[in-house]
Amino acid sequence: MEPIIIVHGGAGDIPLSRVQGKLNGVKASAAVGQKILAQGGTALDAVEAAVVLMEKDEYFNAGYGSVLNLKGQVEMEASIMCGNNLDVGAVTLIKDFLHPISIAHKVLTNSPHSLLGGEGAKMFALEMGFSTVPPESLISENAKSALAEFLKHGEFGRTEIGLRDEGGVGTVGAVAIDCNGHIAVATSTGGMSGKAVGRIGDTPQIGSGTYADDNIGGVSTTGHGESILKYCLAHSIIKLMQSGNVANTATKLAINGMTERLKNTAGAITLSKSGDVGINFSSKRMAWAYIRSNKIYFGIEKDEILEEDYVSI
Amino acid sequence: MEPIIIVHGGAGDIPLSRVQGKLNGVKASAAVGQKILAQGGTALDAVEAAVVLMEKDEYFNAGYGSVLNLKGQVEMEASIMCGNNLDVGAVTLIKDFLHPISIAHKVLTNSPHSLLGGEGAKMFALEMGFSTVPPESLISENAKSALAEFLKHGEFGRTEIGLRDEGGVGTVGAVAIDCNGHIAVATSTGGMSGKAVGRIGDTPQIGSGTYADDNIGGVSTTGHGESILKYCLAHSIIKLMQSGNVANTATKLAINGMTERLKNTAGAITLSKSGDVGINFSSKRMAWAYIRSNKIYFGIEKDEILEEDYVSI
């Protein structure tokens, strides 16, 4: 099978001023992942590299550019899963590292545990040789404005459909299948603007933000975190594929089901084990991109599929 | 429908010396929950009260009696879910409160978030009026011995089937249906002996340790946390019921599936929305109890169902 990677850059009410930056970011991210896969690299390495690129990019709410909690601090989380043996690595309440997804990957390979949080996650990262960065170096101007805006208007907790929720937009994720047919998924986020200190969302929760199973497929989700985790959105999509739905149908059914039940929006990217693609979001916009047969496909509006020739980087 | 509550006191290689204490504990816990239900109380209040009783009991690995991390500290976690609207409250990395499940219940009712961890969870608990206790007051002699034993023999991370894993035994949980047909589930744990600082397990992860949906049923799980979360054990059982399996079949199929795929053991208690009971464990023992029609049913060995007359407390 041809290896493939699909990435997303977050679902939500993305303002027009940020559309082009997000599209550029997801296209570059897909290209970085695809290059690793084309060279015979693993799905795990491809999704990590794709997410690392977006964690560096202020257009996304992950790593640098993460949104701020009520105290104006960055608290990030990330997860990565390997569909071969269901191995998981995840971290939460990370304050002073640029690449939570890389720490998560080390949890997967070097820890007997799957999820580490707060001080314990920091101790583990330092043992693994990661360097801290000053927490303020992770804060972008956009994140500061988003918090100021939240403090003026509030009410993220009840982010109903259609209400402004730009503050939480920009979780990033990637799903890949490598040349050996192994599936991996990575997701990373700064959470939502104005969240309480210590709030943990869907991203590090396996089955909510991330799921991968070589026997079925892989999913990365984004959107209203509390709704995604209550619905176990990623695992719901996996189970719909297991019972015979193609990736796109499974993704659409689960997102519609969650949005109807919980009145909040989300999006997801999905690959089935045979490589068929699922992309769906109930939010206004979601940036996504994937590469197949020398074409790059991408979009951010509903029902939009843009296409360009792709020359390997 | 007759209200019902079922409780468990943890799956694992429970030594004979602890069997009677655990059986007494789960029977008392079921009685406390059943009394609330019989008086017209909510499923949420019943499962919280049932778990609170076990959090106080040193025979269980939750609240007082929680096992210790590698540094000899208690770090607890708990979750509670309401099947009516899928509302969730959960906490993790709790060090100095006796009843994590009660804080989790307050997250469900009083926070826009679903899961709070570490310092942020402590701040929230203090705001809600909970009092801290000295962390050392939560440590039992049994927990100290379990850590000493772990430090001598190690290797929990690869707790294969049949290996000694008493250190992690005794997560507690409860599933109830109240007189209005609403389902609630609560789960609370100290995790596993000798765990890394900051390790978060399956218990606070929705779909892994806990799940409730009035349209389907409720599940609380226990066992090897990393395996349970990789398999999304609670949500897997829910999905098997949704596709037509009765509670006991769904519980057995998912536990066998997890154990075959990941080579570690677990147990779960399940109620379907119509009140049929599922009890299954791949570990050596799991303590459980439920009350129906003036009988209390309980057990701890494989295929054991003991029965006594039950006089309401």
Side-chain angles (χ1 to χ4, degrees):
Chain A
M1 209 180 74
E2 188 189 9
I4 180 171
I5 185 166
I6 177 166
V7 306
H8 73 75
D13 279 4
I14 299 165
L16 270 176
S17 61
R18 311 253 306 162
V19 161
Q20 194 55 51
K22 283 190 196 271
L23 284 176
N24 294 344
V26 291
K27 287 162 70 180
S29 166
V32 160
Q34 191 71 25
K35 186 177 180 186
I36 290 171
L37 295 173
Q39 290 170 345
T42 66
L44 276 170
D45 286 341
V47 292
E48 181 192 343
V51 165
V52 156
L53 197 73
M54 292 189 280
E55 283 179 338
K56 276 190 244 185
D57 185 338
E58 76 95 14
Y59 275 98
F60 302 103
N61 173 20
Y64 171 67
S66 284
V67 298
L68 307 176
N69 68 18
L70 266 181
K71 292 208 168 170
Q73 304 156 333
V74 165
E75 290 194 311
M76 301 168 290
E77 47 195 20
S79 61
I80 188 166
M81 184 164 186
C82 172
N84 178 25
N85 51 15
L86 308 187
D87 267 359
V88 165
V91 290
T92 186
L93 305 176
I94 298 286
K95 297 177 182 191
D96 48 4
F97 293 92
L98 179 55
H99 292 303
I101 197 63
S102 300
I103 307 173
H105 196 168
K106 279 286 182 196
V107 172
L108 186 152
T109 54
N110 289 54
S111 168
H113 302 309
S114 295
L115 172 55
L116 297 175
E119 277 307 300
K122 181 172 180 169
M123 283 162 48
F124 174 81
L126 292 172
E127 276 168 32
M128 291 294 122
F130 290 95
S131 301
T132 55
V133 296
E136 59 278 13
S137 71
L138 297 169
I139 301 179
S140 68
E141 284 308 309
N142 186 66
K144 282 190 227 170
S145 319
L147 181 62
E149 189 72 16
F150 167 80
L151 292 173
K152 227 188 287 174
H153 303 294
E155 275 297 10
F156 61 76
R158 306 298 170 207
T159 315
E160 298 297 312
I161 294 169
L163 284 199
R164 177 187 189 79
D165 64 352
E166 208 279 311
V169 170
T171 295
V172 303
V175 182
I177 307 181
D178 62 28
C179 59
N180 294 312
H182 294 315
I183 300 172
V185 178
T187 311
S188 180
T189 191
M192 51 165 69
S193 268
K195 65 185 179 180
V197 174
R199 178 261 191 182
I200 301 173
D202 58 308
T203 299
Q205 296 200 41
I206 295 312
S208 296
T210 292
Y211 206 82
D213 184 342
D214 279 5
N215 300 331
I216 305 170
V219 182
S220 172
T221 71
T222 164
H224 185 254
E226 279 73 9
S227 300
I228 291 171
L229 71 88
K230 289 171 188 176
Y231 202 78
C232 272
L233 183 59
H235 198 245
S236 292
I237 295 170
I238 288 286
K239 288 292 170 185
L240 283 164
M241 285 198 284
Q242 190 178 29
S243 62
N245 294 285
V246 297
N248 213 32
T249 308
T251 308
K252 187 177 172 179
L253 285 173
I255 286 174
N256 288 350
M258 186 209 92
T259 298
E260 275 170 34
R261 182 92 184 251
L262 297 169
K263 311 300 176 208
N264 280 302
T265 65
I269 53 171
T270 305
L271 291 176
S272 79
K273 66 176 176 178
S274 54
D276 71 298
V277 170
I279 301 162
N280 197 274
F281 49 101
S282 55
S283 55
K284 188 170 171 192
R285 297 192 168 98
M286 179 181 82
W288 58 270
Y290 70 91
I291 293 162
R292 175 169 273 167
S293 308
N294 301 316
K295 294 274 184 194
I296 183 162
Y297 301 89
F298 57 101
I300 193 164
E301 306 291 344
K302 296 257 189 199
D303 302 318
E304 172 185 67
I305 303 181
L306 305 170
E307 172 186 331
E308 288 172 3
D309 289 332
Y310 170 69
V311 185
S312 181
I313 56 172
Chain B
M1 208 179 78
E2 188 188 11
I4 180 170
I5 185 167
I6 177 166
V7 307
H8 73 74
D13 279 4
I14 299 165
L16 270 176
S17 61
R18 310 251 308 160
V19 161
Q20 194 55 49
K22 283 189 195 272
L23 283 177
N24 295 344
V26 290
K27 287 163 72 180
S29 166
V32 160
Q34 190 71 24
K35 186 177 180 188
I36 291 171
L37 295 173
Q39 290 169 345
T42 67
L44 277 170
D45 287 341
V47 293
E48 181 192 343
V51 165
V52 156
L53 198 73
M54 293 190 279
E55 283 180 339
K56 275 189 243 185
D57 185 339
E58 76 95 13
Y59 275 99
F60 302 103
N61 172 21
Y64 171 66
S66 283
V67 298
L68 307 176
N69 70 18
L70 265 181
K71 292 207 167 168
Q73 304 156 333
V74 165
E75 288 195 311
M76 301 168 291
E77 49 196 18
S79 61
I80 188 166
M81 185 166 187
C82 171
N84 179 24
N85 52 13
L86 308 186
D87 266 359
V88 165
V91 290
T92 187
L93 306 176
I94 298 287
K95 296 178 180 187
D96 47 4
F97 293 92
L98 178 55
H99 292 303
I101 197 63
S102 300
I103 307 173
H105 195 168
K106 279 286 181 195
V107 172
L108 186 151
T109 53
N110 289 53
S111 169
H113 303 308
S114 295
L115 172 54
L116 297 175
E119 277 307 300
K122 180 172 180 170
M123 283 162 49
F124 174 81
L126 292 172
E127 274 167 33
M128 291 294 120
F130 291 95
S131 303
T132 56
V133 296
E136 58 279 12
S137 72
L138 297 169
I139 301 179
S140 69
E141 284 308 309
N142 187 64
K144 283 191 226 169
S145 318
L147 181 62
E149 189 73 15
F150 167 79
L151 292 172
K152 225 188 288 172
H153 302 294
E155 275 296 11
F156 60 74
R158 305 295 170 211
T159 314
E160 298 296 313
I161 294 171
L163 283 198
R164 175 187 190 80
D165 64 350
E166 209 279 310
V169 170
T171 295
V172 302
V175 183
I177 307 181
D178 62 28
C179 58
N180 294 311
H182 295 314
I183 300 172
V185 178
T187 312
S188 180
T189 192
M192 51 166 66
S193 268
K195 65 185 179 180
V197 175
R199 178 262 190 181
I200 301 173
D202 58 309
T203 298
Q205 296 200 41
I206 296 311
S208 296
T210 292
Y211 206 82
D213 184 341
D214 279 5
N215 300 332
I216 306 169
V219 182
S220 172
T221 71
T222 165
H224 186 254
E226 279 73 11
S227 300
I228 291 171
L229 72 87
K230 289 171 189 176
Y231 202 78
C232 271
L233 183 59
H235 198 245
S236 292
I237 295 170
I238 289 285
K239 288 292 169 186
L240 284 163
M241 284 198 284
Q242 190 178 31
S243 63
N245 294 285
V246 297
N248 213 32
T249 308
T251 309
K252 187 176 173 181
L253 285 172
I255 286 174
N256 288 349
M258 187 210 92
T259 299
E260 275 169 33
R261 183 92 185 251
L262 297 170
K263 311 299 176 211
N264 281 302
T265 65
I269 53 171
T270 305
L271 290 177
S272 79
K273 66 176 176 177
S274 53
D276 71 296
V277 170
I279 300 162
N280 197 275
F281 49 100
S282 55
S283 54
K284 188 171 172 191
R285 296 191 169 99
M286 179 181 82
W288 59 269
Y290 71 93
I291 293 162
R292 175 169 274 167
S293 309
N294 301 315
K295 294 273 184 193
I296 183 162
Y297 300 88
F298 57 100
I300 193 164
E301 306 291 343
K302 297 256 191 202
D303 301 318
E304 173 186 65
I305 303 180
L306 305 170
E307 174 186 329
E308 288 173 2
D309 289 333
Y310 170 69
V311 184
S312 181
I313 55 172

